[in-house]
Amino acid sequence: AEVIGIAADARFRSLAEAPVPMYVVQRGGWGGNTVLIRTGGDPELLRLLVRGAMAEGGIPLSLSRLDSMEEVLQESLTLTRAVSDTVMVIGLLALLLAALGLYGVVAYVMAGRTREFGIRIALGARAGNITRMVLGYGLRLALIGGTLGVLLGVGALRVISGMLGGNWSSTAMTAAAAVLLSLVAILACLIPARRAAATSPVNMLRSE
């Protein structure tokens, strides 16, 4: 056999597979053949030229398909894009539910400390002190949750990258989700604290 060329690494059967060593033996006389034509011009014009050349030359071959590499690539990505779009929608819904749940839980916990805030203000604490204390609580919560979320998100992206192919290892979306949930946690802490700081401690303690 004569080696007529060596190609660079490429994904042959699927975009999800890693390039593996392989060799191709060119044989004729059976089945169909695939011909690759490289052009720097318009693929649509090349289609017409190929069909015209085959018709004029009387070549005894039938042309079953004539696709550009872009069309082949888009066809191979159809399932991957459908799955990725579904995962994206589910992820956005999960993010929304997580934000609502986080806000509800944190706001409930901070609202339960209203009497504590009233006592602190009655003992001389200022509204700024209460706000800083609650903000510190929210920041600690956001830091712990955000760190864990980014680490788990990066791991999940790597798993998805291996299943669907391509580079999904970017942490931009994971970091954005962590920042959003952190802001929600801080907001859920600040609203009850500012409401308590604006209320008279006498009225607050009397209601309790």
Side-chain angles (χ1 to χ4, degrees), residues 60-199:
L61 295 175
S62 61
L63 187 62
S64 59
R65 295 184 60 179
L66 184 57
D67 301 326
S68 66
M69 187 58 67
E70 181 66 24
E71 291 172 344
V72 174
L73 180 61
Q74 295 301 324
E75 182 179 351
S76 66
L77 289 175
T78 301
L79 178 60
T80 300
R81 288 181 174 176
V83 174
S84 64
D85 291 343
T86 303
V87 171
M88 178 69 71
V89 172
I90 294 176
L92 291 176
L93 291 176
L95 180 61
L96 177 61
L97 292 176
L100 293 176
L102 178 63
Y103 180 85
V105 171
V106 175
Y108 176 78
V109 172
M110 299 309 299
R113 299 179 62 182
T114 302
R115 186 169 183 269
E116 174 194 343
F117 297 153
I119 294 176
R120 289 179 180 272
I121 294 176
L123 294 178
R126 297 181 179 179
N129 301 127
I130 299 296
T131 302
R132 283 193 296 271
M133 180 187 67
V134 175
L135 185 59
Y137 171 82
L139 288 176
R140 287 194 299 272
L141 185 66
L143 180 61
I144 296 174
T147 302
L148 292 177
V150 169
L151 293 177
L152 293 176
V154 171
L157 286 175
R158 290 181 178 177
V159 172
I160 294 176
S161 177
M163 294 173 58
L164 300 181
N167 182 17
W168 290 54
S169 59
S170 174
T171 58
M173 296 182 64
T174 306
V179 170
L180 175 61
L181 293 178
S182 300
L183 293 177
V184 169
I186 295 173
L187 182 64
C189 292
L190 283 179
I191 291 179
R194 293 181 65 87
R195 185 183 299 117
T199 305

Side-chain angles (χ1 to χ4, degrees), residues 37 45-55 59 63 66:
I37 305 176
L45 179 59
L46 183 62
R47 294 178 202 261
L48 299 177
L49 294 176
V50 171
R51 294 185 185 276
M54 293 184 65
I59 301 176
L63 187 62
L66 184 57

